[in-house]
Amino acid sequence: MHPEDEILAQLALGESVDPSAAAHVAGCESCQAVVGELRETMSLVGEAADEELVAPPASVWESIRAEVADEAAPAPTAPAAPSVPDELARRRRPAFGWIAAAAAIGVVAGVVGTQVVGNAPGLRPTVLAQTQLDTLDTGTRGGEAELLSSAASGLDLRVQVKPLDPGDGYLEVWLINTDLKRMVSIGVLPKDATVQDFRITGSLIEQGYVIVDISRERFDDRPQHSGDSLLRGSLS
Amino acid sequence: MPSDSALPSAELAVRLRNGDQQALAEAFAQHSRLVHTVALRTLGNHHDAEDVTQQVFVAAWRGRHGLDPARGSLAGWLVGITKHVIADVMAQRARSVRNLHAVAAEAGPTATPGLDGTVVDKVVVAAALANLGEPRATILRLSFGEEHTHEEIAQRLDLPLGTVKSHIRRGLLQLREDIREVRADAS
């Protein structure tokens, strides 16, 4: 018969125990495994003893409570699939909220299985932010851009424009940081296209890449922005 | 082996799964330090850590039907969600770094930072240690962290030697159980 756990703990701690118990453990794999785990626990405690836990500020709980407050608890026997776009639509937090929303979708899908994902394709994407796209010189409206979130495809920037003249080059869509010093290309707008979606990551938005810019670029093997911006607008 | 805290934890998990918002508040009170500290240690900034903590508990609420109290502890389940959210933030960061590199026309792949399992383990153990209550937590810290003898600890805390030894044995068994449950569900 296996000795009691406290005896195994004594062995792990290097204390002497009843000889018959010690003899049993010497020949018992499962008891030895427990002793091994207890020793590992001792060394983990040694490493973690000075680790200080940090409590989140009270505002975090307030935000959580606000987010879940209006989600009525369904009956335990009939859990309703969360309606992702509706939940996203309720989220009005700026910046990091968007990426967090995307993260939450991923996690919920992982936790509840295919429920969310299975329903996703039929759902309309949610507009998280939008902007007019105007010419830089005269401020004439030339189109618009929308930041869309859908459970099926994540975050997309949808660009809708009146036909633009690429000249002898092509049209490229950029996101410029609010610091106006950094920019990333998110793709090429095909000639004569009036609406095009570009996949983007939430962290770009989080980091302040919210200014949408459409530029005319030349085929010159220079990946940098040409400086020839046709339309621009800032997502909000 | 039934552990001292298994029953209330399982009960809380069942209440949470059934949609009891008060249970979410209790889960937050018990485990938000664990979640927040894991996020803080792995992401390295308070703002991101607070957002991750918020996302974890909101996701826990929305995904509560996937909570299986028989499979592991509530803490383990929350740590599992925390790892997902953190991995997602890290992946987003890495993608954005790659985009920036592409703009600057720099060649070469950018390494995706991984989640440091050692950091997570340490925080999980620290949280489990704190949950042991006093004087047990202090006794275990002194014994395994600062490597004081049982006699020194007894003297320092003015407790009988037998009491100190008993706290160490039971505390050790409890922690092993806590860590097993977290690992069972958070892997």
Side-chain angles (χ1 to χ4, degrees), chain A residues 5-6 51 54 67 96, chain B residues 1 37 41 51 54 170:
Chain A
D5 285 338
E6 291 220 14
E51 176 72 46
V54 184
E67 272 197 77
F96 195 71
Chain B
M1 182 190 74
T37 308
R41 295 282 179 267
D51 260 303
Q54 181 178 338
R170 293 190 182 160

Side-chain angles (χ1 to χ4, degrees), chain A residues 174 183 221-225, chain B residues 97-108:
Chain A
W174 301 80
M183 50 174 32
D221 289 333
R222 289 159 49 105
Q224 294 88 348
H225 190 265
Chain B
V97 167
R98 280 199 296 273
N99 285 347
L100 290 170
H101 281 198
V103 168
E106 286 178 16

Side-chain angles (χ1 to χ4, degrees), chain A residues 74-97:
Chain A
T77 48
S83 168
V84 172
D86 287 352
E87 284 169 12
L88 284 172
R90 277 201 293 273
R91 303 170 66 104
R92 292 293 178 220
R93 294 191 304 138
F96 195 71

